Each structure stands twice: as C-alpha cells, then as structure tokens.
Amino acid sequence: MSLFRVMAIAGRIIRQFVRDRRTMALLFLAPLLVMTILQIVLTSSNGSVTLALVPPPGPIGANLTQVIKAPDSIKLKVITADQAEPGLKNGDYDGVLTFPDYFLARLQQGQSPTLRLRLEGSNPGAAKQLTSLVKVLVATIAVPQSGGQSASVTPTVTTSYLYGGPEYTTTDALAPLFVGLFSFFFVFLLTSVAFLRERSQGTIERLLVAPVTRTELVLGYVFGFTVFALAQSAVILLYVIFALRVHYAGNPFVIFLVTAALTIGGVNLGIFISAFARNELQIVQFIPLVIVPQVLLGGLFFPVKTLPVVLFQLANIMPITYANVALQGVMLKGFGVGDILGDLIFLVGFALLMVLLAAFSLRQEKV
Amino acid sequence: MSSSAHSDVAPIVVSDVVKRFDKVTALDHVSLSVLRGETFGLIGPNGSGKTTLIRMLLGLGRPTSGNISVLGRKMPSRQVASRIGYMTQSSALYNELSIRENLAFFGTLYGLRGRRLKERIAATLSLVELAARADSPIQTLSGGMRQRVSLGCALIHEPELIFLDEPTVGIDPELRLAFWEYFAQLNQRGVTLVVSTHHLDEAARCNRLGLLRFGRLLAADSPDALRARSGQQDFEQAFLYFAQQAETAEAGEPTPAAEKEA
Ligand SMILES: Nc1ncnc2c1ncn2[C@@H]1O[C@H](COP(=O)(O)OP(=O)(O)OP(=O)(O)O)[C@@H](O)[C@H]1O
Ligand SMILES: [Mg+2]
C-alpha cells in the first residue's frame, strides 16, 4: 500500500469539493440554519417522563402512588433508596423524589420536612416537567395543624442534578444529535454522488487500471471525506456553543472519535449504495430508505426506549442511535471514552461492515 | 496458434477469447497476438467489440472463456498495471480540476513524484499543446481539448504498452497528424500501441490491423497484406470483402482468426 496514492486520492476529493462552492455552502451553512430554526421552534420535549419515589417507612409509603395525582404524561414508580442512583444513571427514570425517614414525624410536629428531588438532567424538558410537578405535589401535602392554628406546614424540596443543571435547555440536548446526524448524512450523500460521478464520467476505469489497490481507493475516500465531516462537526460545535450558547461539558477528542467512526461508516455506505444507483436522482431515492428512518427513530424526535417493539429493534441496529447516545453522553454528561465504549464499539463495528461492503462492491466493478 | 518468428514473447497474446454479456456475444472466439513496438489497429463497426476487447486486455473484466496474457502475465494482473497506459473512449477526467491537476493526479497514482512528476507534466502538456491552458478547469475546455488531456493522462507515466480507444475523435486534422507521428516515435522506442479507430486513413498507418465484426476477428494482418488478400485498393471495400467471406463460411466451421506474417 502506498500512502502517496491514498493521499493523492484524498487530496483530489478535497480539491473537487472545495471548488464546488454551493456544496461547500450546503455542507457548512445548512446545519446551522436547521439548528437555529429548531432552537426557535422547540420549547420543550415531549414523550413520557418517569418519576421514581423513595417513600418514607410506614403505611403511607405503600399507597404513595395512589395519593399522588400526576398527569398522564408522568409515570410514577416506587423504588428503594439504594436503587435511586444506579437507576438514574441507567436512564430507567428521569428523576427520584426521596422522602426522608422522619417525614411523618416532622409533619406531625408541625415542622417542615425536606424532600430531595434528584434529576437526571440530560433531558431538560423532562427535568422541567418534574420540577413543576413536585412543586404542585408539595403544596397538596400541606398538613393543617392539629392545634387549630391557621398556618399549615409545607415540605421543602432541595433539587440536585445528576448531569447538567437547571440552566440546560432542549437545544442543549439536541445539539449532540445534530453533530452526529449531519456528519453522517452529508458524508453519505456526498460520497455516493462522488462515487457515482466516478462511474458516470468513466474515471473509475482509469482508477481500476492504474496500480491502485481497493484498499488505497477506500482509504483515500475515507480520508478525503473525513476531513469534511470533522470540519463540519467543528463548525456545528462552535456555532452551537458560541452563537446559540448551548451548554457543553465534553471533551472534543472523544467527539472526534465518535464522529470519525460514524464518518467512516457513512463514506463506505455511500460507496456501497452508489453501486445501486445510475444517476443522482436515484441516489436521492435512497434518502427515505437510509436517512429518514434514522432521523425519526434515532432518538432525535422520540426517545428510543419509548418506541414500539418493532421500531425499537430497528433503532437498535441503526448507527445514529448509538452515535446519539454517545454524543449526548460526551457533550451533556462529560463522559469519557470508557463511558461510551459500548456505543463506540458498535459504531466501529458498523464502519468495518460498511468497509467490507464497499470493498465487495468495488470488486464487482470489474465486470 | 501464432507462428511469430520474433524471439521475445509478444506483449499481448489472446487465445480463443469469448465474452458474453446477458444476450450479446461481444467477443466470439478471438485469437491474436500483438508484437513489441508495433501499432496494432482495431477497426470495425459500432458494437463490433473493439472497446470490449481493449477492456479485457486491461483486465477490466474476465473473459467468459479463453486466455489473455499481457506483458507476460495472465490478466487481470496488478503487477503489470504501472507499465500500461489507457485512454478511454470518452474522455474520463475530473471536470472540476485543472489540466495540470488531472495530470498530476494520474501521475501520482502511477508512482511519479516531485521533480520527475513536474517534468513529465510539462512534457505532456507540450505534447498535447495545452501548456497555455494548463490551469484551466476541464469543464471550461472544448471537446477536442478534453480529448487531448485524456490522451495526456494515458501517456504521463511513459508506459511501454498503451491502449487508445478512438484517441483522435474530435481532434483537428493537424493535431491528428501530429499524434500519429508521435505514435510512430513511440514505436521506435519499443512502445507497443493498440489503437481503435473509425478513420481509415489512420488504419492505414498501423503496422497491423484487426478487423472486428459482430465480435468475430475477420482478419489480422498488415494494411498492405489485407489489401492484397482482398484484391481491393480501398479499406472499406476490403472490409466488405472479408465480411462477405466470413458470411459464406458461416455454415461451415467458425474460422479462427487468420494470422499471417506480413
Ligand atoms: N457492460 C455491458 N453490458 C452489456 N452489453 C455490453 C456491455 N459492454 C458492451 N456490451 C455490448 O457488447 C457489444 C460490443 O460493444 P463494444 O463497446 O465493444 O463495441 P465497440 O466496437 O467499441 O463499438 P464503438 O465503435 O461504438 O465504440 C455491443 O453489442 C454492446 O452492446
Ligand atoms: Mg468502443
């Protein structure tokens, strides 16, 4: 293998696209436009929210879920104190409301007990809903004093966050999803069109006749397009952090890793898919098949765990689902490589599978 | 069976090659050999199999049956790739890139670097008379100019065996003449050329000619010998003569390609 040839191919792809002003503009400006619009449009996220309750000992603990009236959008669940933190980390619920052991005793003494609300925090919509629910809840618990005094005692609530804080907004939560989506899909589209052109203008014949191996060809394409995908991610991140003032806790290097794995998958998926298209229009026809399901099911619009079984299974084999989890982890929760290892392994596995498919479709080239 | 008297192995030996696409038989039991330092012409009507034969010779597809050996290797082979040049029938170039960038790209793929690459680019640009336009993007060039760049890309690495699929389509008469003079110079240096063409005046300039029709090689011989064998002065007439011969022989055994020393 010759690095010179790989770099010649990568350099050529970069040159071609830099010359293509409109595509460049699309690549860098379209994501910014979409994100800006979404920030304006979105106020809070929907979907169902789960609140876990750690009841005080004694009789009220048992029928706490009946006593508390929550709107339909909020599910209640009773757990024990030691389940609280692991469950939150695991994403089993969006918040935990803990009643102290002395809850009843304090109330009866006419003192105000303190409830602890711990929020998961990476879904700002859910956090907001839970905060206001707990506020209402606390007001209804108010117990009139036995002494006949008019004053009633209201429990107080202290709120803490596993990730982020009250300042996190929905756009904060969405920003990581966009970094993944845009780098994957633009790279997929650009590669499939670039490779299609290679076929339609006949240059693929020259490449196949030249002393270039399939590995060099695939690597050249991967390098060329990874440069664009990373530049695009950088622009999106900078815009989102400095212009949209999104909160951000991550390490850029880990984001780079995730984006790179995703890009390699996208480039090779593009090479593979382009074998089934005869012109640009037919590439566009692959968008509903390859792109739309991932946008809809990958966690951007609906939380993956709330999907119906069939769609949930589908979401579980889509790279974007894993990239979303990983990027949200890194950007919102400050996760390192170790925390997203599972997702990263899936993405690398997906990339390798796509490399194999692309290499296979290049082999078919020599009819 | 070739009765070549040359001592060294012929750079191209094709034995009994058949290539079938779904319904079409593009090559029908073709056998021939091309000798070192000659220009071998391929003529025949549209769809007669010229491009298919050239692509098989380049390893861009496997024959349905039969054998092909190029530069001593059974094709397809990557080992000989760097010693071969190929000019496709339609000018296959990167339209957004300049002439120089296209030449540099293909030169690099063929292992040219640094000063050597610069020298070769300069030499190729002056050969195809495009030095003045070196930095123009391909999409701003005329059709004939693109064809010239395409030829340049096939020659940049100084290959010893060159396949040219209709290289002079759309090229003005003056430059066409210059090209054929250059081809003769290449022959003198021992470079072997396989050229397909529809121009009969160009066919006359080849050392030997293969006449293809419906994928069958009607004859392969020097232009003079073909004229003498058919008793016709004009190539068009000679071609018709061999076509008729093939048709009358159709009922009998399929005639293997006639190979006679000039
Ligand atoms: N990839 C392919 N799939 C199916 N049929 C093909 C393919 N390539 C060539 N053919 C068929 O093989 C036959 C020979 O085609 P070829 O391109 O070799 O002709 P040619 O002699 O180069 O013609 P021209 O002078 O028009 O360039 C034609 O009938 C063509 O339709
Ligand atoms: Mg042809």
Coordinates of all heavy atoms in Angstrom, one line a residue, chain A residues 2 4-5 8-10 12 15-16 19-20 197-198 200-214 365-367, chain B residues 19 55 58-62 78 81-82 86-88 91-98 101 105-106 108-110 113 150 153-154:
Chain A
S2 N 0.5 2.2 -0.8 CA 1.3 3.5 -0.8 C 0.5 4.6 -0.3 O -0.6 4.9 -0.7 CB 1.7 3.7 -2.3 OG 1.7 5.1 -2.5
F4 N 1.3 7.6 -0.6 CA 1.2 8.7 -1.7 C -0.1 8.6 -2.5 O -0.7 9.6 -2.7 CB 2.4 8.5 -2.6 CG 3.6 9.2 -2.2 CD1 4.7 8.6 -1.7 CD2 3.7 10.6 -2.3 CE1 5.8 9.3 -1.2 CE2 4.8 11.3 -1.9 CZ 5.9 10.6 -1.4
R5 N -0.4 7.3 -2.8 CA -1.6 7.2 -3.7 C -2.8 7.5 -2.9 O -3.8 8.1 -3.4 CB -1.6 5.8 -4.2 CG -0.6 5.6 -5.4 CD -1.0 4.4 -6.2 NE -0.6 3.1 -5.5 CZ 0.5 2.5 -5.7 NH1 1.4 2.9 -6.6 NH2 0.8 1.4 -5.0
A8 N -3.1 11.1 -2.6 CA -3.4 11.7 -3.9 C -4.9 11.6 -4.1 O -5.6 12.6 -4.5 CB -2.7 11.0 -5.0
I9 N -5.5 10.5 -3.7 CA -7.0 10.4 -3.9 C -7.7 11.3 -2.9 O -8.6 12.0 -3.3 CB -7.4 8.9 -3.7 CG1 -6.8 8.0 -4.8 CG2 -8.9 8.8 -3.7 CD1 -6.9 6.5 -4.6
A10 N -7.3 11.3 -1.6 CA -7.9 12.1 -0.6 C -7.8 13.6 -1.1 O -8.8 14.4 -1.0 CB -7.3 11.9 0.7
R12 N -7.4 14.9 -4.0 CA -8.2 15.2 -5.2 C -9.7 15.4 -4.8 O -10.3 16.3 -5.2 CB -8.1 14.0 -6.2 CG -8.7 14.3 -7.5 CD -9.3 13.0 -8.1 NE -10.6 12.7 -7.6 CZ -11.0 11.5 -7.3 NH1 -10.3 10.4 -7.5 NH2 -12.3 11.3 -6.9
R15 N -10.0 18.8 -3.1 CA -9.9 19.8 -4.2 C -11.2 20.0 -4.9 O -11.8 21.0 -5.1 CB -8.9 19.5 -5.2 CG -7.5 19.9 -4.8 CD -6.7 20.4 -6.0 NE -5.4 20.8 -5.6 CZ -4.4 20.0 -5.6 NH1 -4.5 18.8 -6.0 NH2 -3.2 20.4 -5.1
Q16 N -11.8 18.8 -5.3 CA -13.0 18.8 -6.1 C -14.1 19.5 -5.3 O -14.9 20.3 -5.9 CB -13.5 17.4 -6.4 CG -12.8 16.8 -7.6 CD -13.3 15.4 -7.8 OE1 -13.1 14.5 -7.0 NE2 -14.0 15.2 -8.9
R19 N -13.7 23.3 -4.8 CA -14.1 24.1 -6.0 C -15.6 24.2 -6.1 O -16.1 25.1 -6.8 CB -13.6 23.3 -7.2 CG -12.2 23.1 -7.3 CD -11.5 24.3 -7.9 NE -10.1 24.3 -7.5 CZ -9.2 23.6 -8.0 NH1 -9.4 22.9 -9.1 NH2 -7.9 23.7 -7.6
D20 N -16.3 23.3 -5.5 CA -17.8 23.3 -5.6 C -18.4 24.1 -4.5 O -18.8 23.6 -3.5 CB -18.3 21.8 -5.6 CG -19.7 21.7 -5.9 OD1 -20.4 22.7 -6.0 OD2 -20.2 20.5 -6.0
R197 N -20.4 9.7 -9.8 CA -19.7 10.5 -10.9 C -18.5 9.8 -11.4 O -18.2 9.8 -12.6 CB -19.3 11.9 -10.4 CG -20.4 12.8 -10.2 CD -20.0 14.2 -10.3 NE -21.0 15.1 -9.8 CZ -20.8 16.1 -9.0 NH1 -19.6 16.4 -8.6 NH2 -21.8 16.8 -8.5
E198 N -17.8 9.2 -10.5 CA -16.6 8.5 -10.8 C -16.9 7.4 -11.9 O -16.2 7.2 -12.9 CB -16.1 7.8 -9.6 CG -14.6 7.4 -9.6 CD -13.7 8.5 -9.1 OE1 -13.5 8.7 -7.8 OE2 -13.1 9.1 -9.9
S200 N -19.9 7.5 -13.8 CA -20.6 8.0 -15.0 C -19.6 8.8 -15.9 O -19.7 8.8 -17.1 CB -21.8 8.9 -14.6 OG -21.4 10.0 -13.8
Q201 N -18.6 9.4 -15.3 CA -17.6 10.1 -16.1 C -16.5 9.2 -16.6 O -15.6 9.6 -17.4 CB -17.1 11.4 -15.5 CG -16.2 11.1 -14.3 CD -16.0 12.3 -13.4 OE1 -16.6 13.4 -13.6 NE2 -15.2 12.2 -12.4
G202 N -16.5 7.9 -16.1 CA -15.6 6.9 -16.6 C -14.2 6.9 -15.9 O -13.4 6.1 -16.2
T203 N -14.0 7.8 -14.9 CA -12.7 7.9 -14.3 C -12.5 6.6 -13.4 O -11.3 6.3 -13.2 CB -12.6 9.1 -13.4 OG1 -13.8 9.3 -12.7 CG2 -12.3 10.3 -14.2
I204 N -13.5 5.9 -13.0 CA -13.3 4.7 -12.3 C -12.5 3.7 -13.1 O -11.7 2.9 -12.5 CB -14.7 4.1 -11.8 CG1 -14.5 2.9 -10.9 CG2 -15.5 3.6 -13.0 CD1 -14.4 3.3 -9.4
E205 N -12.7 3.7 -14.4 CA -12.0 2.8 -15.3 C -10.5 3.1 -15.2 O -9.6 2.2 -15.1 CB -12.4 2.9 -16.7 CG -13.8 2.7 -16.9 CD -14.2 1.4 -17.6 OE1 -13.8 1.3 -18.8 OE2 -14.7 0.5 -16.9
R206 N -10.1 4.3 -15.2 CA -8.7 4.7 -15.1 C -8.2 4.3 -13.7 O -7.0 3.9 -13.6 CB -8.6 6.2 -15.3 CG -8.7 6.7 -16.7 CD -8.1 8.1 -16.8 NE -8.6 8.8 -17.9 CZ -7.9 9.0 -19.0 NH1 -6.8 8.5 -19.2 NH2 -8.5 9.7 -20.0
L207 N -9.0 4.5 -12.7 CA -8.5 4.1 -11.3 C -8.3 2.6 -11.2 O -7.3 2.2 -10.7 CB -9.5 4.6 -10.3 CG -9.7 6.0 -10.1 CD1 -10.8 6.3 -9.0 CD2 -8.4 6.7 -9.7
L208 N -9.2 1.9 -11.8 CA -9.1 0.4 -11.7 C -7.9 -0.1 -12.5 O -7.3 -1.2 -12.2 CB -10.4 -0.3 -12.2 CG -11.6 0.0 -11.3 CD1 -12.9 -0.6 -11.9 CD2 -11.4 -0.6 -9.9
V209 N -7.6 0.6 -13.6 CA -6.5 0.2 -14.5 C -5.1 0.6 -13.9 O -4.1 -0.1 -14.1 CB -6.7 0.8 -15.9 CG1 -5.4 0.8 -16.7 CG2 -7.8 0.0 -16.6
A210 N -5.2 1.7 -13.1 CA -3.9 2.2 -12.5 C -3.5 1.2 -11.4 O -4.3 0.4 -10.9 CB -4.1 3.6 -11.9
P211 N -2.2 1.2 -11.0 CA -1.8 0.3 -9.9 C -2.3 0.8 -8.6 O -1.5 1.1 -7.7 CB -0.2 0.4 -10.0 CG 0.1 1.7 -10.7 CD -1.1 2.0 -11.6
V212 N -3.6 0.9 -8.4 CA -4.2 1.4 -7.2 C -4.9 0.2 -6.6 O -5.7 -0.4 -7.3 CB -5.2 2.5 -7.4 CG1 -5.8 3.0 -6.1 CG2 -4.5 3.7 -8.1
T213 N -4.7 -0.1 -5.3 CA -5.4 -1.2 -4.8 C -6.8 -0.7 -4.3 O -7.0 0.5 -4.1 CB -4.7 -1.9 -3.6 OG1 -4.5 -0.9 -2.6 CG2 -3.3 -2.3 -4.0
R214 N -7.7 -1.7 -4.0 CA -9.0 -1.3 -3.5 C -8.9 -0.6 -2.1 O -9.5 0.3 -1.8 CB -9.9 -2.6 -3.3 CG -10.8 -2.8 -4.5 CD -11.8 -3.8 -4.1 NE -11.2 -5.1 -3.9 CZ -10.9 -6.0 -4.8 NH1 -11.2 -5.7 -6.0 NH2 -10.3 -7.1 -4.5
E365 N -17.0 -4.2 -9.6 CA -16.8 -3.2 -10.7 C -16.2 -3.8 -11.9 O -16.5 -3.4 -13.0 CB -15.9 -2.2 -10.1 CG -16.0 -0.8 -10.7 CD -17.3 -0.2 -10.4 OE1 -17.7 -0.1 -9.2 OE2 -18.0 0.2 -11.3
K366 N -15.4 -4.8 -11.8 CA -14.7 -5.3 -12.9 C -15.6 -6.4 -13.5 O -15.4 -7.6 -13.3 CB -13.3 -5.9 -12.5 CG -12.4 -4.9 -11.9 CD -11.0 -5.5 -11.9 CE -10.0 -4.5 -11.4 NZ -8.6 -4.9 -11.5
V367 N -16.5 -6.0 -14.4 CA -17.4 -7.0 -15.0 C -16.7 -7.8 -16.0 O -16.2 -7.3 -16.9 CB -18.7 -6.3 -15.6 CG1 -19.9 -7.2 -15.5 CG2 -19.0 -5.0 -15.0
Chain B
K19 N -16.4 -13.4 -24.9 CA -17.0 -12.6 -23.9 C -18.5 -12.4 -24.2 O -18.9 -11.9 -25.2 CB -16.4 -11.2 -23.8 CG -17.0 -10.3 -22.7 CD -16.8 -10.8 -21.3 CE -17.4 -9.9 -20.3 NZ -17.3 -10.4 -18.9
R55 N -10.9 -3.6 -23.1 CA -11.2 -3.7 -21.6 C -10.7 -5.0 -21.1 O -10.2 -5.1 -20.0 CB -12.6 -3.4 -21.3 CG -13.1 -2.0 -21.6 CD -14.5 -1.7 -21.2 NE -14.6 -1.5 -19.8 CZ -15.2 -2.2 -18.9 NH1 -15.8 -3.3 -19.3 NH2 -15.2 -1.9 -17.6
L58 N -7.1 -5.1 -20.6 CA -6.7 -4.3 -19.4 C -7.1 -5.0 -18.1 O -6.8 -4.5 -17.0 CB -7.3 -2.9 -19.5 CG -6.7 -1.9 -20.5 CD1 -7.7 -0.9 -20.9 CD2 -5.5 -1.3 -19.8
G59 N -7.7 -6.1 -18.2 CA -8.2 -6.8 -17.0 C -9.4 -6.2 -16.4 O -9.7 -6.4 -15.2
L60 N -10.1 -5.3 -17.2 CA -11.3 -4.7 -16.6 C -12.5 -5.6 -16.8 O -13.6 -5.1 -17.1 CB -11.6 -3.4 -17.4 CG -10.8 -2.2 -16.9 CD1 -11.0 -1.0 -17.8 CD2 -11.2 -1.8 -15.5
G61 N -12.3 -6.9 -16.7 CA -13.4 -7.8 -16.9 C -12.8 -9.1 -17.3 O -11.7 -9.1 -17.9
R62 N -13.5 -10.2 -16.9 CA -12.9 -11.5 -17.2 C -13.6 -12.1 -18.4 O -14.8 -11.9 -18.6 CB -13.2 -12.5 -16.0 CG -12.2 -12.2 -14.9 CD -12.7 -12.9 -13.6 NE -12.2 -12.3 -12.4 CZ -10.9 -12.5 -12.0 NH1 -10.1 -13.3 -12.6 NH2 -10.5 -11.9 -10.9
R78 N -2.2 -7.1 -11.3 CA -1.8 -5.8 -10.9 C -0.3 -5.5 -11.1 O 0.1 -4.4 -11.2 CB -2.2 -5.6 -9.4 CG -2.0 -4.3 -8.9 CD -2.8 -4.0 -7.6 NE -4.1 -3.7 -7.9 CZ -5.2 -4.3 -7.3 NH1 -4.9 -5.3 -6.5 NH2 -6.4 -4.0 -7.6
A81 N 0.3 -3.4 -14.1 CA -0.5 -2.2 -14.3 C 0.3 -0.9 -14.5 O -0.1 -0.1 -15.3 CB -1.4 -2.0 -13.1
S82 N 1.4 -0.7 -13.8 CA 2.1 0.5 -13.9 C 2.8 0.7 -15.3 O 3.3 1.7 -15.6 CB 3.1 0.6 -12.8 OG 4.0 -0.5 -12.8
Y86 N -3.8 3.8 -20.6 CA -5.2 3.5 -21.1 C -5.9 4.9 -21.4 O -6.0 5.7 -20.5 CB -6.0 2.7 -20.2 CG -7.4 2.4 -20.6 CD1 -7.8 2.3 -21.9 CD2 -8.4 2.3 -19.6 CE1 -9.1 2.0 -22.2 CE2 -9.7 2.0 -19.9 CZ -10.1 1.9 -21.2 OH -11.4 1.6 -21.6
M87 N -6.3 5.1 -22.6 CA -7.1 6.2 -22.9 C -8.5 5.7 -23.2 O -8.7 5.0 -24.2 CB -6.6 7.0 -24.1 CG -7.4 8.2 -24.5 SD -6.7 9.0 -25.9 CE -8.0 10.1 -26.3
T88 N -9.5 6.1 -22.3 CA -10.9 5.5 -22.5 C -11.5 6.2 -23.7 O -11.1 7.3 -24.2 CB -11.7 5.8 -21.3 OG1 -11.5 7.2 -20.9 CG2 -11.2 5.0 -20.1
S91 N -13.6 10.9 -22.9 CA -12.5 11.5 -22.1 C -12.9 11.5 -20.6 O -13.8 12.2 -20.1 CB -12.2 12.9 -22.5 OG -13.4 13.7 -22.3
A92 N -12.3 10.5 -19.8 CA -12.7 10.3 -18.4 C -11.7 11.2 -17.6 O -10.6 10.8 -17.3 CB -12.5 8.9 -18.1
L93 N -12.2 12.4 -17.2 CA -11.4 13.3 -16.4 C -12.2 13.9 -15.3 O -13.5 13.8 -15.3 CB -10.9 14.4 -17.3 CG -10.1 14.0 -18.6 CD1 -10.1 15.2 -19.5 CD2 -8.7 13.6 -18.1
Y94 N -11.5 14.5 -14.3 CA -12.2 15.2 -13.2 C -12.5 16.6 -13.7 O -11.6 17.5 -13.8 CB -11.4 15.1 -12.0 CG -11.2 13.7 -11.5 CD1 -10.1 13.0 -11.7 CD2 -12.3 13.0 -10.9 CE1 -9.9 11.7 -11.3 CE2 -12.2 11.7 -10.5 CZ -11.0 11.1 -10.7 OH -10.9 9.8 -10.3
N95 N -13.8 16.9 -13.9 CA -14.1 18.2 -14.6 C -13.9 19.4 -13.7 O -13.6 20.5 -14.3 CB -15.6 18.2 -14.9 CG -15.9 17.2 -16.1 OD1 -15.0 17.0 -16.9 ND2 -17.0 16.6 -16.1
E96 N -13.9 19.3 -12.4 CA -13.7 20.5 -11.5 C -12.2 20.8 -11.5 O -11.8 22.0 -11.1 CB -14.2 20.2 -10.1 CG -15.6 19.9 -10.0 CD -15.9 18.4 -10.1 OE1 -14.9 17.7 -10.5 OE2 -17.0 18.0 -9.9
L97 N -11.3 19.9 -11.8 CA -9.9 20.1 -11.6 C -9.3 20.6 -12.9 O -9.8 20.4 -14.0 CB -9.2 18.8 -11.2 CG -9.7 18.1 -10.0 CD1 -8.8 16.9 -9.6 CD2 -9.8 19.1 -8.8
S98 N -8.1 21.3 -12.8 CA -7.5 21.8 -13.9 C -6.7 20.7 -14.7 O -6.6 19.6 -14.2 CB -6.5 22.9 -13.5 OG -5.4 22.3 -12.8
E101 N -3.8 19.6 -12.7 CA -4.2 18.7 -11.5 C -4.6 17.3 -11.9 O -4.3 16.3 -11.2 CB -5.4 19.4 -10.7 CG -4.9 20.6 -9.9 CD -6.1 21.4 -9.4 OE1 -7.2 21.4 -10.0 OE2 -5.9 22.1 -8.4
F105 N -2.6 14.1 -10.7 CA -3.3 13.0 -10.0 C -3.0 11.7 -10.6 O -2.5 10.8 -9.9 CB -4.8 13.3 -10.0 CG -5.6 12.2 -9.4 CD1 -5.5 11.9 -8.1 CD2 -6.4 11.4 -10.2 CE1 -6.2 10.8 -7.5 CE2 -7.2 10.3 -9.6 CZ -7.1 10.1 -8.3
F106 N -3.1 11.6 -11.9 CA -2.9 10.3 -12.5 C -1.4 9.9 -12.5 O -1.0 8.8 -12.2 CB -3.4 10.2 -13.9 CG -4.9 10.1 -14.0 CD1 -5.7 11.2 -14.4 CD2 -5.6 9.0 -13.5 CE1 -7.1 11.1 -14.4 CE2 -7.0 8.9 -13.4 CZ -7.7 10.0 -13.9
T108 N 0.7 10.7 -10.1 CA 1.0 10.2 -8.7 C 0.5 8.8 -8.5 O 1.2 8.0 -7.9 CB 0.3 11.1 -7.7 OG1 0.6 12.5 -8.0 CG2 0.8 10.8 -6.3
L109 N -0.7 8.5 -9.1 CA -1.2 7.1 -9.0 C -0.2 6.1 -9.6 O 0.0 5.0 -9.1 CB -2.5 7.0 -9.7 CG -3.7 7.6 -9.0 CD1 -5.0 7.2 -9.7 CD2 -3.8 7.4 -7.5
Y110 N 0.5 6.6 -10.6 CA 1.5 5.7 -11.3 C 2.9 5.8 -10.7 O 3.8 5.4 -11.4 CB 1.5 6.0 -12.8 CG 0.3 5.3 -13.5 CD1 -0.9 6.0 -13.8 CD2 0.4 4.0 -13.9 CE1 -1.9 5.4 -14.4 CE2 -0.7 3.4 -14.6 CZ -1.8 4.1 -14.8 OH -2.9 3.5 -15.4
R113 N 6.8 11.2 -8.7 CA 6.9 12.1 -7.5 C 7.8 13.3 -7.8 O 8.7 13.2 -8.7 CB 7.5 11.4 -6.3 CG 7.0 10.1 -6.0 CD 5.9 10.2 -4.9 NE 5.4 8.9 -4.6 CZ 4.4 8.3 -5.2 NH1 3.7 8.9 -6.2 NH2 4.0 7.1 -4.9
S150 N -7.1 13.8 -22.1 CA -7.3 12.4 -21.8 C -6.2 11.6 -22.3 O -5.7 10.7 -21.7 CB -8.6 12.0 -22.4 OG -8.9 10.7 -22.2
C153 N -3.2 12.0 -20.1 CA -3.3 11.2 -18.8 C -2.8 9.8 -19.1 O -2.4 9.1 -18.1 CB -4.7 11.2 -18.2 SG -5.1 12.8 -17.6
A154 N -3.0 9.3 -20.3 CA -2.6 7.9 -20.6 C -1.1 7.8 -20.8 O -0.6 6.7 -20.7 CB -3.4 7.4 -21.8

